[in-house]
């Protein structure tokens, strides 16, 4: 591609991104020159790759465990209906449960494809803790952390080329490779803090204790001494004073919810395969 044409493309993409900056939902989300359709596109491709890799991502049968799926989807809907999720209508927000008790993890691709391991479901002790972790994952996608990270990692020109392909609706091996690289992408501590903040914000408008996720990190901390690092912390590194931040954020936002729905959570756990 000649230099003039590349320059024109970069300018066009920057103009498109400047339009995006005027969207109030981008406030406080930093620079992201990729369009929203990039998040949807990457997420869809990553989901296809994960779904076709049953050896690494064994899916908990949605028919046999319909009750468990209905439960996690109900918790998801409580979060989505808080009125605080920016891309509630644009992203997929589909949950798949990975049947792997040994892996203590949950992750979300761009565009809202969420994966929860049975390992983390069994580690958690109440619905508010689960809602907190789920809201944290939703927060990463809603803040568009992965596509923001791509812009930082690969530089303006490369990302402008990718943005152009996506805007033109073209497929390319580059997009597919990028989608793969986003599965299990390690977030920065700043992004972790933002996702934690979002978790409290989303739960604040629900009956849940808004700092629900703090219970998860407290338990991780207690268990972590001398043990191996749980998978969750290798991709979601702990910022300083994480637990305190959850409680402070809930206090600052004036959140009133106090319910943990421990019994309902216990019933759901009893339905999981032993
Ligand atoms: Zn995270």
């Amino acid at each position: 591609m000649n230099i003039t044409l590349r320059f024109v493309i970069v300018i066009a993409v920057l103009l498109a991104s400047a339009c995006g900056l005027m969207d109030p939902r981008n406030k406080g989300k930093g620079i992201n020159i990729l369009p929203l359709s990039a998040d949807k596109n990457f997420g869809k491709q990553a989901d296809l790759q994960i779904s076709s890799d049953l050896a690494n991502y064994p899916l908990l049968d949605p028919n046999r465990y319909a009750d468990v799926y209905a439960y996690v989807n109900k918790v998801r809907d409580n979060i989505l209906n808080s009125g605080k999720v920016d891309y509630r209508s644009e992203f997929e927000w589909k949950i798949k449960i990975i049947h792997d008790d040994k892996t203590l993890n949950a992750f979300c691709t761009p565009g809202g494809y969420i994966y929860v391991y049975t390992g983390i479901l069994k580690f958690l002790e109440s619905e508010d803790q689960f809602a907190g972790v789920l809201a944290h994952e939703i927060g990463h996608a809603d803040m568009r952390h992965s596509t923001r990270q791509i812009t930082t990692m690969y530089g303006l020109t490369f990302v402008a080329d990718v943005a152009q392909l996506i805007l033109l609706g073209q497929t390319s091996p580059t997009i597919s490779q990028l989608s793969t690289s986003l599965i299990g992408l390690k977030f920065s501590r700043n992004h972790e803090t933002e996702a934690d903040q979002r978790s409290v914000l989303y739960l604040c408008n629900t009956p849940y204790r808004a700092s629900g996720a703090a219970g998860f990190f407290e338990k991780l901390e207690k268990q972590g001494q001398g043990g191996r690092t749980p998978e969750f912390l290798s991709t979601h590194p702990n910022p300083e004073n994480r637990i305190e931040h959850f409680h402070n954020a809930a206090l600052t936002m004036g959140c009133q919810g106090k319910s943990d729905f421990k019994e309902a959570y216990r019933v759901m756990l009893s339905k999981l395969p032993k």
Side-chain angles (χ1 to χ4, degrees):
M1 192 187 293
N2 75 44
I3 291 172
T4 319
L5 182 56
R6 183 177 280 268
F7 180 73
V8 170
I9 289 166
V10 170
I11 296 296
V13 170
L14 284 176
L15 281 173
S17 118
C19 293
L21 285 175
M22 284 187 271
D23 184 337
R25 294 176 297 185
N26 282 328
K27 195 167 174 263
K29 293 186 183 176
I31 292 176
N32 191 344
I33 65 164
L34 285 166
L36 206 58
S37 53
D39 295 60
K40 296 188 209 179
N41 198 320
F42 289 143
K44 197 171 188 179
Q45 301 222 26
D47 183 57
L48 284 173
Q49 289 176 38
I50 292 169
S51 305
S52 61
D53 184 3
L54 289 174
N56 285 311
Y57 303 99
L59 186 71
L60 185 77
D61 185 344
N63 297 316
R64 192 164 164 202
Y65 296 97
D67 286 357
V68 177
Y69 275 90
Y71 179 89
V72 298
N73 287 333
K74 181 201 71 180
V75 177
R76 172 204 62 191
D77 291 345
N78 288 341
I79 298 165
L80 294 180
N81 294 335
S82 65
K84 299 290 181 185
V85 179
D86 289 334
Y87 300 112
R88 193 222 180 292
S89 321
E90 285 88 345
F91 290 168
E92 288 292 324
W93 309 122
K94 266 193 190 143
I95 303 183
K96 286 181 180 167
I97 303 173
I98 311 290
H99 186 187
D100 174 357
D101 285 355
K102 289 196 172 72
T103 303
L104 187 48
N105 208 2
F107 65 93
C108 185
T109 71
Y113 297 83
I114 306 163
Y115 304 86
V116 179
Y117 285 78
T118 51
I120 196 167
L121 285 176
K122 291 185 176 183
F123 181 81
L124 297 168
E125 292 168 339
S126 54
E127 190 171 311
D128 66 331
Q129 287 182 0
F130 174 59
V133 171
L134 199 55
H136 173 99
E137 296 305 328
I138 289 175
H140 277 306
D142 203 28
M143 293 296 284
R144 307 186 63 205
H145 282 158
S146 299
T147 44
R148 273 162 67 187
Q149 217 164 315
I150 290 177
T151 310
T152 318
M153 276 158 57
Y154 295 101
L156 184 64
T157 317
F158 175 78
V159 177
D161 287 348
V162 172
Q164 182 212 11
L165 289 171
I166 290 169
L167 287 168
L168 294 173
Q170 291 174 353
T171 52
S172 108
T174 313
I175 295 177
S176 169
Q177 281 157 16
L178 273 176
S179 307
T180 310
S181 74
L182 293 178
I183 303 171
L185 182 76
K186 184 176 176 176
F187 291 110
S188 68
R189 286 190 165 78
N190 277 347
H191 284 179
E192 282 307 296
T193 303
E194 285 182 2
D196 289 351
Q197 188 83 6
R198 284 263 148 176
S199 175
V200 177
L201 177 76
Y202 302 153
L203 261 54
C204 202
N205 264 7
T206 70
Y208 298 122
R209 207 165 25 185
S211 58
F216 166 57
F217 292 106
E218 272 161 17
K219 191 171 176 186
L220 272 187
E221 227 168 57
K222 269 184 220 152
Q223 209 200 40
Q225 288 149 2
R228 68 187 175 96
T229 306
E231 291 77 8
F232 191 92
L233 289 182
S234 56
T235 48
H236 303 259
N238 257 340
E240 293 271 310
N241 308 318
R242 185 169 216 168
I243 294 161
E244 212 180 314
H245 281 152
F246 274 107
H247 296 303
N248 287 343
L251 210 63
T252 312
M253 293 182 207
C255 310
Q256 302 291 323
K258 290 193 168 46
S259 304
D260 58 17
F261 301 107
K262 223 172 185 169
E263 180 54 21
Y265 195 77
R266 196 195 57 73
V267 172
M268 179 279 291
L269 286 182
S270 71
K271 291 176 181 166
L272 280 175
K274 299 288 170 278

